[in-house]
Amino acid sequence: MMPDGPSVLGETQLRNLYINAGHGSTGRAMAMGSGCTVADVITGRKPAIDLAGLTLGRYC
């Protein structure tokens, strides 16, 4: 679980390292959607959801 609430999804500053973490007790329920979203990011497709506020960039 992340300190500010929402999970973290998407790219990092390191090449070929992606994040799908911080779901807390809802991890099993969110696994399918989060996995599909990160797969979209990895393959260059537009994710079905807006990632604003869900990326690691919110901590920078």
Side-chain angles (χ1 to χ4, degrees):
M1 188 169 250
M2 304 309 291
D4 59 349
S7 54
V8 177
L9 303 172
E11 296 180 89
T12 68
Q13 293 179 349
L14 300 175
R15 184 172 177 242
N16 293 324
L17 178 64
Y18 299 85
I19 294 182
N20 182 5
H23 297 84
S25 62
T26 62
R28 277 179 119 30
M30 297 179 69
M32 178 79 81
S34 295
C36 287
T37 299
V38 174
D40 285 344
V41 171
I42 291 169
T43 59
R45 292 186 299 240
K46 182 180 178 194
I49 64 167
D50 182 13
L51 293 179
L54 295 177
T55 65
L56 193 59
R58 74 176 188 248
Y59 296 112
C60 297

